[in-house]
Amino acid sequence: MRDLPYRWIEAIQDRRDYIEDQLRLGSPVVGLPYAQGSLLLTVSKGAQKIFEVHDRIALSAIGHPADIERLRMLVTDTASVQAFQSATEDVNLHRLTHYVLAHTFKQAFEAIVGEAYIIKMLLVEIGNGDTPTQFTHINYDGNVKVQHESAVIGGTTEIENAMQDYLTAAQTDAKPDLPTALQLALKTWAVGRGLSQRFEDADDNTEVTDEQVNDIIKTELADREIEVGVLDSTLSGDTKFRLLTQDEIQVARETT
Amino acid sequence: MMNHKGDFLSLLKNADTLQVDSETRRESNPKALIHDAFQLPFDRKASYGTTLEIPEATTVVAMRYKEGIIIAGDRRATAGTAVVHDRAEKVLPIDTHSVLAISGAPAMAYEIARVLKHSFQYFRRSQLQELSVQGKLRTLSRLIRDNLPMAMQGIGAVIPIFALYAPQTDESENGGKIFFYDALGAHFENVDFATTGSGSVWIRGVLRYLDRWGGTRLEEMDQQQATVTILRLLDTASEYDAATSGYNAKAEIFPTLKIITRQGIETLTDQYLSECYTEVT
């Protein structure tokens, strides 16, 4: 197949279509800074979707659970080994992204005889001293997008754009407190969720009203749970990551 | 590649198979590294195992008090009769609720503490749950046993005290647990107190006496009483053991005291200790 370039391109395109089709209905993830750190939020049916990678780095993804697990282990292992051989301070998101994850994604995607990873990943590293907070979005084909204000992953690029627009419009310069950030993240999630359901009906309208957002949250939470992981720079000790409990999430949602 | 089930040591051994520009296998193996650094010819006597001299010039002590565990160590590091350092940290936090107090060769002890810390973290991050108390004890056992060849050469024994608070313990109970080890890695749970190091011989009996016939049983002491008791014990040890430092008022050097409670680990401040010292003397 490799001696026929046009067939290779065709195969890649097929692969792209296949993966995007698989990802379309994935539950979006929202990454947002707040006063004490950064949070990742998603809504899921039981299985954990937000993970601790290292002291100041967290991860979430949409895609096939087996692929998520494999790549999560790869990045966790690498970070742990590097932290031990050198020092914890030497582990950073930039190196993990560019020397470990991105090329692994790309290699798997372009090796058309092998299996591709069905995955989109969002990583966050909270700032420390001079280094700013960083959100890194890695696509299944190894494309990397780095953002500092906020980031989302969703089933399709259109969904992501609509979510990001909603989020950017609502964000202010001052970093919100945790309850405000959590509520905004949840609404942004609902925008993405609403669109991923709507795109099944091939509708181009990416407008989601506040009323629809509230409806989506209400229906979706009937059989799903909100999951929030925070990197809280005020936590004592080296590890800044923790998952909020359901009680904490409930309290944050009710705070006005 | 993914067959290590949360075991940090085997991950390190196979670190080459990770898709990173990792260094050589030798460098990724902490045991080999330590072994190389200290590779001395076997002393004939030692190689037959007839003597096992353990340099453990220090005093570390842990006891259960009302709210959990108080654990402490003096600050002196010695080489023979020379004092090489007077601000050594011998009480090392491992994770949010466990602490290792070390006596023995510092190079090995610090490395063991470091491996332990990374192992616990790695288990939690990879397996998405905390390593159990039994799991933690076994990991430490294994590290101490792996260090045996060094101990047999008389240069690197590490005899630690491992103390932790099990946060899932019922509110009405004290979840503090103290474990001590021998050079072979066997662990023993010691409910009320433990002490190791060269100065420990002078205070072990005192601890027993206090616990049995003292005014307040160790476990019923509040933080203030426990702190004063510990400071007095360290003072006693330093009186008879040259390798244990007392409170150095001139240089404002205090022993390290940490408490482990349901809320986690807290280091008692110099300010607090200096207030307690007024009661000690």
Side-chain angles (χ1 to χ4, degrees), chain B residues 34-43 108 149-150 153-156:
Chain B
I34 302 171
H35 199 257
D36 279 359
F38 291 91
Q39 195 51 262
L40 302 178
F42 262 86
D43 171 54
M108 255 55 81
M150 311 298 292
Q153 291 176 62
I155 49 164

Side-chain angles (χ1 to χ4, degrees), chain A residues 48 51-55 70 72-74 76-78 80-81 83-85 99-100 104 238-239, chain B residues 2 4 8 11-12 15 18-20 23 28 30 111 114-115 117-118 121-122 124-126 128:
Chain A
Q48 191 176 336
F51 308 98
E52 170 187 15
V53 173
H54 207 68
D55 290 355
R70 188 186 304 191
R72 176 182 83 79
M73 286 302 281
L74 173 68
T76 309
D77 286 3
T78 311
S80 301
V81 169
F84 183 80
Q85 288 176 343
Y99 307 141
V100 183
T104 308
D238 297 330
T239 302
Chain B
M2 282 175 53
H4 37 70
F8 187 62
L11 170 73
L12 281 177
L18 289 178
Q19 296 161 13
V20 279
E23 286 128 69
S28 59
E111 198 60 12
R114 208 166 81 87
V115 173
K117 189 172 176 174
H118 283 265
Q121 276 180 355
Y122 180 68
R124 185 186 68 238
R125 285 170 181 155
S126 64
L128 307 176

